[in-house]
Amino acid sequence: MTIPAVGGDVDVERHDPGVVPLHGGPRLQPAHFEPAHVPVEVARYGTAAHTLPVGSPGKVGILELGFALRGPEGARRTELVHHFQKSPLQIMRPLYYNLARPDMPYTYILTTGGGILHNDRQRMDLTFGPDTSAFVTTQAHTKIYRMESGYATSLINLDLADGAYVEFLPDPVIPYAQSRFYQRLHADVHPGATLIAAETVYAGRMTRGEHHAYAAYATDFELWRPGPEPAPLAIDRVRLVPHDGYVGGAAVLGGRDIVASLYVVTPRLPAREVADVLQDSVAAVVEASDDDAARFGVSVLPGDAGAWMRFVGDDTITSLAVQKAAAAAVHEAITGSPAPPIRK
């Protein structure tokens, strides 16, 4: 791996596909779980091992889920038809507890390690077939632990076929002091599909006095239209580097401790109507809160494909209430039924 001194992305070495895998099959080869590009803000820390190197047992988590519509006409429901997992990533059995949508499974992603460590590599591939409906979340907050060397990465690939309705709403990410992390979420959303997706990151373990003490936190959130000539809908890049004078530090949050985003791509409602639903639901929470630092904005996505919301603030209770209210309001506006309380 070659790391430039400043700027740009890093090309991670790709293994020759003609080479016989050394162990574990194709899923455990670097070409599968390493990002094609790692932002220099993260990659500059290299992959030298303080303890376990990349690819060691327990350092690579793989999760593949495939959903399809099953059952007789009039009683069809979305079911999990493909499942591969390798610790530390795994899931609970999908649950059907939404009385208003008994056809819709609720799936919880778990990690057996309790958090993300240096040189960890995670990859999730979630596929949703035609006319499926699904809700995917995490069991708890994602903790990114302190790192003495190296960095960690996560790849998340979502593929939504025509008519699919998917809510991908993980709990917030907490980057601990001196952690280095990069995540890329790539979603292929068919023009007839609906995706509601969220991202939330805290400044750290704020009750312990950690405020933007992580070394580097970078994410790429990409929405694409699939097809013979794939086209981007929206690309949202985040580069937070509070130390060493790199551009894009905590100042971009205006001194706030929390940033949360919600993206809604749907053909079922006009984009302006989706934006109004987000605006009204979030405004009600913010106006009733005690978080004086709370600010938010809403706008439509390019091509009137949907709308998105971004919130910044200092209070975790307010930020969680904002995400819950916004997601529930959009769920009801699109499906015509109220969103159930999420069991955790």
Side-chain angles (χ1 to χ4, degrees):
M1 177 183 293
T2 303
I3 301 177
V6 293
D9 285 347
V10 173
D11 290 329
V12 176
E13 180 182 353
R14 314 300 285 179
H15 283 208
D16 184 348
V19 175
V20 177
L22 297 178
H23 60 83
R27 289 187 179 98
L28 294 186
Q29 304 313 306
H32 184 69
F33 59 74
E34 287 280 9
H37 302 281
V38 178
V40 67
E41 293 90 345
V42 174
R44 66 195 178 107
Y45 291 98
T47 56
H50 175 66
T51 53
L52 295 176
V54 175
S56 299
K59 302 298 288 181
V60 178
I62 305 291
L63 181 65
E64 298 174 5
L65 303 178
F67 295 87
L69 206 58
R70 291 288 185 268
E73 198 66 35
R76 309 187 78 186
R77 72 174 190 174
T78 300
E79 296 184 356
L80 182 64
V81 297
H82 170 72
H83 176 202
F84 176 89
Q85 65 184 36
K86 178 190 174 298
S87 283
L89 289 177
Q90 61 184 49
I91 65 166
M92 294 175 57
R93 179 190 295 272
L95 305 175
Y96 295 84
Y97 57 70
N98 186 350
L99 298 180
R101 292 293 308 274
D103 62 308
M104 184 173 176
Y106 286 69
T107 305
Y108 295 75
I109 299 173
L110 297 76
T111 176
T112 57
I116 296 176
L117 301 169
H118 80 283
N119 287 339
D120 277 2
R121 299 292 186 266
Q122 296 185 354
R123 173 167 174 163
M124 292 187 283
D125 295 272
L126 312 183
T127 303
F128 306 89
D131 299 321
T132 54
S133 296
F135 181 102
V136 180
T137 186
T138 52
Q139 180 193 33
H141 291 41
T142 297
K143 306 173 186 66
I144 307 174
Y145 292 130
R146 179 186 182 93
M147 300 175 186
E148 299 294 338
S149 64
Y151 57 84
T153 67
S154 174
L155 298 175
I156 302 173
N157 298 306
L158 309 179
D159 189 345
L160 281 66
D162 186 19
Y165 173 89
V166 176
E167 297 183 33
F168 183 77
L169 304 175
D171 280 353
V173 176
I174 306 176
Y176 286 24
Q178 292 305 309
S179 62
R180 307 91 177 249
F181 180 69
Y182 170 62
Q183 176 174 284
R184 176 177 180 261
L185 186 150
H186 178 100
D188 285 327
V189 186
H190 186 281
T194 293
L195 173 64
I196 303 172
E199 284 189 331
T200 301
V201 59
Y202 291 169
R205 295 176 293 179
M206 294 179 287
T207 56
R208 296 194 178 192
E210 287 184 3
H211 296 269
H212 300 292
Y214 47 86
Y217 180 87
T219 64
D220 290 328
F221 187 97
E222 304 177 359
L223 298 172
W224 286 75
R225 289 296 193 207
E229 297 182 2
L233 274 177
I235 297 177
D236 187 6
R237 304 200 188 283
V238 173
R239 305 289 187 264
L240 298 177
V241 188
H243 303 297
D244 299 338
Y246 267 65
V247 176
V252 298
L253 300 183
R256 272 83 172 185
D257 287 331
I258 302 165
V259 57
S261 303
L262 187 73
Y263 312 83
V264 182
V265 179
T266 183
R268 303 189 187 186
L269 290 176
R272 185 68 260 171
E273 186 174 337
V274 175
D276 289 343
V277 169
L278 291 173
Q279 174 74 30
D280 294 343
S281 58
V282 176
V285 174
V286 171
E287 291 172 3
S289 75
D290 296 325
D291 187 358
D292 294 333
R295 301 289 187 275
F296 76 96
V298 174
S299 65
V300 298
L301 292 171
D304 288 332
W308 73 300
M309 177 276 300
R310 176 156 288 166
F311 165 89
V312 294
D314 288 338
D315 182 58
T316 58
I317 295 177
T318 299
S319 71
L320 290 175
V322 162
Q323 286 282 36
K324 180 180 178 180
V330 172
H331 173 104
E332 184 166 358
I334 295 175
T335 68
S337 62
I342 304 304
R343 299 177 181 176
K344 292 194 180 177

